[in-house]
Amino acid sequence: MTVQRTAASEPGYSLEHAVTTSCDREPIHRPDAIQPYGLLLVADSTTLTIIGGAGDIEGRLAPDWLGRPLPAILEVPTSRFHDEKHPSLSDLRVPGLKGETFSVLRHDQDTHILIELEPVEPHNLLTWDIFGEIDRTADRFERCPDTASVCRQGATIFQRLTGFDRVLVYRFMEDGTGRVVGESRNDAFPSLMNHHFPASDIPAQARALYLRNRIRVIPDITYEAASIRPPEAGLAGLNLSDVQLRSVSPIHLQYMANMGVRASASVSLVVDGVLWGLIACHNATPRRLSEDVRAACRTLAGVMSRQLRNKEELVTYQERLRLRNAMEFVTSHFDVRHPIESNLRSFMGELQSLFSCNGFAVISGETITATGVLPDSENLHKLHDWLRMGTNGGIFTSAMLGKDYPPAADWPERSAGILAITLPFRTPMCLIWSRVEIIQTIEWAGNPHKGDEDDDGVLRPRTSFKTWEQTIRGHSLRWTNEQKQAARRLRRVLIADYQTQQLRELNATLAATLEERESLLRQKDFLIREVNHRVQNSLQMVASFLKLQARSAANEETTTALTEAQHRIAAIGLVHRRLYRDEHFGVVDLGRYLEELMEELCSSLGEDWHQQLRLALFPIMISADRAINIGLVLTELVINASKYAYDGNAGPLHVGLAQTSDRLILTVSDQGECTPQLKGTGFGTRMMNAVVSSLAGTLTYTTLNPGLEAVMTLPLDSVLPTEADASTEAALSQIPYPYP
């Protein structure tokens, strides 16, 4: 019988909504009892005295077991329990009272040692047979093309090995539900292939135990649990997580009974430390699995798990390689001369095929270029606005868009799932791959929504496992991790291409701007040098005029004044020539300039001064206008020394230029015997005082006996070149002509 139900009226329903049930709260790892087909001994880990146990120990092992030493009961030396190199006792075989032989499993737990005793089957598989079966099984798994084939092959192999009526390969899905992906059976049970089971059927703590204990056997679900005794031993709540004989939850036993199962075994499939699924074995009659068969199952499950991982990794690798090659093909054919948006629109088909989808759109501002099945333009613009506000890292994926973006619930037939890349360009862009809904009919082994707890609060398992169908709407195919990673790589590539393009455009603009500026600079340089030539001619004309006037002057005072003016004009002319001869207009090496100025002054004052002049000039770059002022002051000081110290004749003269941490010091000293005039009121003195004051400096005089020393001190901030003075481009951009 098939029960049908449709979820068409429930667009918000999702298989990801795993059911959290009261079963999750059941302490199944502390049942205080074992299955009675074996025995359990609990001993003190320090004294090795047996303090408790479970099962028919008196009738099957030793009547007086309680309080006796554990080594004596097991007939092994005490040293075996303290041998750190060989702590396991799995090689032991302990004889019983009824002709039984027990295998031994040891578990160390806090202050207790737990010993499991399980009767050994008389007919064991030969070791050679086990190895042969493992080898043949591994070869079959190796030839399987995919995980589905491995699961089908695994079900057949485990049914043949265990002899159970039905063997299911049960896989855990991402939402905690389970699905049967492999099956091998006889006529004792109906098929459950492709059926789904709700997450509540195997609660979280049960999955944790399956990960811890890789194989679990229930030989007969009708057993009566053997409690741990005696009660006064204080062993209630003992953790039996590692004990294979651990009693099973009554709810699970009833669950198995409702399925018509009398005996079961579960073997864990663990891939990379995660519980991938289970091999579930069901039998209609009681059935045990011997120790050697369990060992073979455990080994084959490990082989199968590795093959499952290999097949999944192969699929992942192939998908990743396909996506990488497809993405590189698209992006490598972009035309660097065209904008990114234009390239994206030119490769719409290639981009759409990058991820399997029903529609693809490129949204840029108000422009939409789309192909395939998609929502209308208005809804796409609204979706784009929502994506820009909420996506994390520029990538958004959804296989149930109506849940994440409620307006999309109205058009699942046009878009039920999307993969979107938002690009933070100057004009924001978005790439959207869209998938329409896939109407799924899920076959459940019973109603997954039926509660497991009645009004009285008592847990009860499901009673029906008839096929129950449910139609799921509003879902699209899931986007794989490889597709999400490829989307992130594509986004990085597109952003890098966009930035490269922006830099290329900026470089082109800068190159054009620089070329235009170079042309302007060449024009300005020509004009400036032309103006300089004319200024130099004008200064020479004035100097020549002053020289003629000095020769024809009627008195000595007028001659002296005209000569001093001639010297001052020579200083200005020298700075002007230096200004337009140096590499950097507007910046002058003061030490070099003062040296050339003194050479010119000595030539003007008389050749004898060349022999008397001593220079100690520190090189320092200063602005040209400051150099002119300092040159005028130096000229005036030298003229005063010639005039007052040596009465117009040549004499020893020292000129020094030095720099301290924050000051510039100019020193002019002579050794003349004439009386110096320190407080003159003439034009030269007033000019020097005004210039020094404009530079925020000081001018002091010191009598040397004989001679006089003049010291001008200037703060460096007032003379150093500014950024506008430091380069030709900056200077000329602010000064179209040297002298308007």
Side-chain angles (χ1 to χ4, degrees):
M1 177 179 179
T2 299
V3 181
Q4 294 187 349
R5 179 175 182 269
T6 178
S9 60
E10 302 179 24
Y13 176 78
S14 170
L15 292 178
E16 299 174 1
H17 295 168
V19 182
T20 302
T21 71
S22 300
C23 290
D24 291 322
R25 301 190 296 270
E26 187 183 9
I28 60 177
H29 61 300
R30 301 179 187 273
D32 293 335
I34 65 169
Q35 299 180 58
Y37 72 89
L39 306 175
L40 177 67
L41 299 176
V42 182
D44 184 277
S45 60
T46 303
T47 64
L48 300 181
T49 301
I50 300 175
I51 60 175
D56 185 14
I57 305 174
E58 294 85 353
R60 300 173 67 183
L61 184 64
D64 56 346
W65 60 276
L66 189 62
R68 289 186 60 187
L70 184 59
I73 292 293
L74 300 182
E75 300 180 357
V76 295
T78 304
S79 59
R80 282 295 303 271
F81 292 90
H82 304 292
D83 187 355
E84 295 183 356
K85 294 183 179 180
H86 303 91
S88 173
L89 303 176
S90 59
D91 60 320
L92 294 181
R93 293 295 181 267
V94 178
L97 298 178
K98 297 180 179 180
E100 295 178 298
T101 300
F102 294 96
S103 63
V104 180
L105 283 178
R106 171 181 174 175
H107 310 284
D108 292 294
Q109 183 184 116
D110 298 331
T111 59
H112 300 133
I113 295 178
L114 279 61
I115 299 295
E116 289 188 77
L117 299 173
E118 183 180 348
V120 179
E121 294 289 336
H123 301 291
N124 294 335
L125 288 175
L126 296 176
T127 303
W128 184 258
D129 294 336
I130 295 176
F131 282 126
E133 183 65 25
I134 292 172
D135 186 61
R136 288 190 295 273
T137 300
D139 185 60
R140 293 190 191 100
F141 286 153
E142 185 71 30
R143 291 198 299 269
C144 291
D146 50 33
T147 57
S149 300
V150 172
C151 293
R152 290 193 297 268
Q153 189 70 244
T156 301
I157 292 170
F158 275 89
Q159 188 193 22
R160 185 175 68 250
L161 179 63
T162 61
F164 275 70
D165 293 327
R166 181 175 64 191
V167 173
L168 306 174
V169 178
Y170 179 94
R171 180 174 186 178
F172 290 106
M173 312 305 286
E174 292 181 0
D175 55 6
T177 61
R179 178 170 174 259
V180 177
V181 293
E183 181 183 61
S184 181
R185 64 183 180 87
N186 55 32
D187 295 335
F189 289 102
S191 174
L192 290 176
M193 186 65 183
N194 294 322
H195 280 56
H196 289 71
F197 289 78
S200 57
D201 280 9
I202 304 179
Q205 77 272 30
R207 291 195 292 270
L209 287 178
Y210 280 126
L211 189 61
R212 189 166 181 171
N213 289 336
R214 301 297 173 89
I215 188 166
R216 189 85 168 90
V217 179
I218 308 176
D220 189 350
I221 68 169
T222 63
Y223 72 85
E224 291 185 9
S227 300
I228 297 177
R229 52 194 173 89
E232 59 269 16
L235 297 176
L238 187 66
N239 189 344
L240 300 182
S241 297
D242 297 323
V243 176
Q244 293 187 11
L245 295 172
R246 182 185 71 251
S247 183
V248 184
S249 164
I251 300 171
H252 182 67
L253 294 176
Q254 186 60 51
Y255 180 94
M256 302 300 293
N258 293 344
M259 291 185 71
V261 175
R262 185 69 182 271
S264 73
S266 301
V267 186
S268 302
L269 295 173
V270 179
V271 176
D272 292 331
V274 178
L275 187 63
W276 187 93
L278 295 173
I279 298 170
C281 307
H282 298 156
N283 213 64
T285 59
R287 184 174 184 84
R288 292 179 58 184
L289 279 185
S290 61
E291 182 184 19
D292 52 349
V293 174
R294 291 203 308 270
C297 288
R298 188 181 295 107
T299 302
L300 290 177
V303 173
M304 183 174 174
S305 297
R306 287 189 290 275
Q307 286 299 323
L308 289 171
R309 180 186 61 188
N310 292 342
K311 305 304 181 188
E312 289 183 339
E313 287 181 347
L314 178 60
V315 171
T316 298
Y317 171 76
Q318 291 175 338
E319 176 67 2
R320 187 182 300 122
L321 185 62
R322 184 195 70 81
L323 289 169
R324 186 180 295 275
N325 291 339
M327 186 179 69
E328 289 182 355
F329 172 81
V330 174
T331 55
S332 63
H333 284 76
F334 281 178
D335 191 335
V336 296
R337 297 168 298 178
H338 296 163
I340 290 292
E341 179 181 351
S342 176
N343 282 317
L344 292 175
R345 299 185 193 281
S346 299
F347 287 87
M348 290 285 291
E350 291 79 0
L351 287 169
Q352 180 180 7
S353 63
L354 188 61
F355 307 119
S356 58
C357 62
N358 303 105
F360 175 69
V362 177
I363 306 175
S364 176
E366 299 300 321
T367 304
I368 295 179
T369 305
T371 179
V373 180
L374 286 165
D376 56 47
S377 297
E378 181 181 356
N379 281 318
L380 280 177
H381 279 302
K382 292 179 179 179
L383 179 61
H384 181 206
D385 294 338
W386 178 78
L387 288 170
R388 288 173 55 194
M389 293 187 296
T391 55
N392 182 19
I395 301 295
F396 175 79
T397 60
S398 175
M400 189 177 176
L401 186 58
K403 175 186 173 184
D404 300 309
Y405 178 62
D410 295 333
W411 25 267
E413 73 284 353
R414 305 198 65 80
S415 181
I418 65 169
L419 185 154
I421 300 176
T422 55
L423 299 169
F425 295 168
R426 184 176 302 168
T427 300
M429 291 188 64
C430 183
L431 311 182
I432 295 178
W433 288 261
S434 175
R435 291 173 175 173
V436 300
E437 75 171 337
I438 296 179
I439 302 176
Q440 296 176 287
T441 300
I442 304 298
E443 291 184 332
W444 294 90
N447 188 342
H449 304 294
K450 184 182 183 304
D452 59 357
E453 183 175 312
D454 288 350
D455 295 337
D456 56 5
V458 178
L459 294 171
R460 292 182 175 87
R462 291 193 290 124
T463 58
S464 174
F465 293 88
K466 295 178 181 179
T467 299
W468 189 90
E469 292 184 351
Q470 182 173 27
T471 302
I472 306 300
R473 306 209 48 180
H475 289 259
S476 73
L477 288 176
R478 293 180 180 272
W479 304 94
T480 66
N481 289 330
E482 289 68 39
Q483 291 170 337
K484 296 174 186 177
Q485 292 173 6
R488 293 188 181 93
R489 288 196 300 271
L490 179 59
R491 183 175 187 268
R492 290 195 295 268
V493 169
L494 293 177
I495 291 177
D497 286 350
Y498 177 77
Q499 293 172 342
T500 301
Q501 189 176 81
Q502 293 295 103
L503 288 175
R504 190 181 296 112
E505 293 176 357
L506 179 60
N507 287 336
T509 302
L510 287 175
T513 303
L514 289 175
E515 179 62 29
E516 182 180 1
R517 179 163 295 239
E518 287 291 335
S519 176
L520 292 174
L521 286 175
R522 287 191 293 270
Q523 296 177 26
K524 290 184 178 182
D525 182 53
F526 174 78
L527 293 174
I528 288 171
R529 295 188 186 280
E530 182 66 21
V531 170
N532 173 53
H533 177 69
R534 296 183 181 183
V535 169
Q536 289 293 334
N537 289 340
S538 299
L539 291 174
Q540 290 178 3
M541 290 176 61
V542 173
S544 299
F545 175 75
L546 292 174
K547 188 174 183 180
L548 291 174
Q549 288 294 105
R551 289 177 181 176
S552 61
N555 56 66
E556 183 178 352
E557 183 177 353
T558 301
T559 301
T560 301
L562 292 173
T563 301
E564 293 174 0
Q566 183 182 352
H567 292 162
R568 294 182 182 112
I569 289 175
I572 294 173
L574 178 61
V575 172
H576 212 276
R577 288 195 303 275
R578 295 283 300 122
L579 176 63
Y580 297 103
R581 189 181 68 193
D582 283 351
E583 180 181 357
H584 296 291
F585 298 140
V587 180
V588 174
D589 181 349
L590 182 60
R592 182 178 174 187
Y593 159 65
L594 294 182
E595 181 179 358
E596 293 183 2
L597 177 62
M598 291 307 301
E599 287 290 328
E600 187 138 344
L601 282 174
C602 289
S603 298
S604 177
L605 294 172
E607 293 298 329
D608 294 341
W609 282 97
H610 287 288
Q611 304 297 324
Q612 302 292 338
L613 183 63
R614 299 292 180 269
L615 300 177
L617 305 175
F618 179 80
I620 180 173
M621 303 300 293
I622 70 171
S623 56
D625 58 339
R626 307 297 191 275
I628 293 176
N629 292 335
I630 295 173
L632 292 175
V633 173
L634 177 61
T635 301
E636 195 65 35
L637 291 174
V638 172
I639 292 174
N640 284 345
S642 170
K643 181 176 179 180
Y644 298 113
Y646 300 115
D647 196 19
N649 298 317
L653 185 67
H654 177 269
V655 177
L657 179 66
Q659 177 186 346
T660 62
S661 59
D662 60 349
R663 293 194 168 273
L664 185 69
I665 301 174
L666 176 67
T667 304
V668 179
S669 59
D670 60 69
Q671 299 177 16
E673 297 292 343
C674 302
T675 302
Q677 292 189 0
L678 303 180
K679 296 183 180 180
T681 58
F683 170 78
T685 302
R686 291 197 304 272
M687 183 271 294
M688 281 195 302
N689 292 335
V691 169
V692 173
S693 177
S694 68
L695 296 176
T698 60
L699 180 62
T700 59
Y701 297 93
T702 303
T703 302
L704 299 179
N705 294 320
L708 182 70
E709 181 183 59
V711 179
M712 182 175 65
T713 305
L714 305 174
L716 284 177
D717 293 342
S718 66
V719 297
L720 290 179
T722 61
E723 292 185 4
D725 299 321
S727 67
T728 302
E729 293 79 11
L732 293 179
S733 66
Q734 298 183 29
I735 308 174
Y737 300 98
Y739 295 103

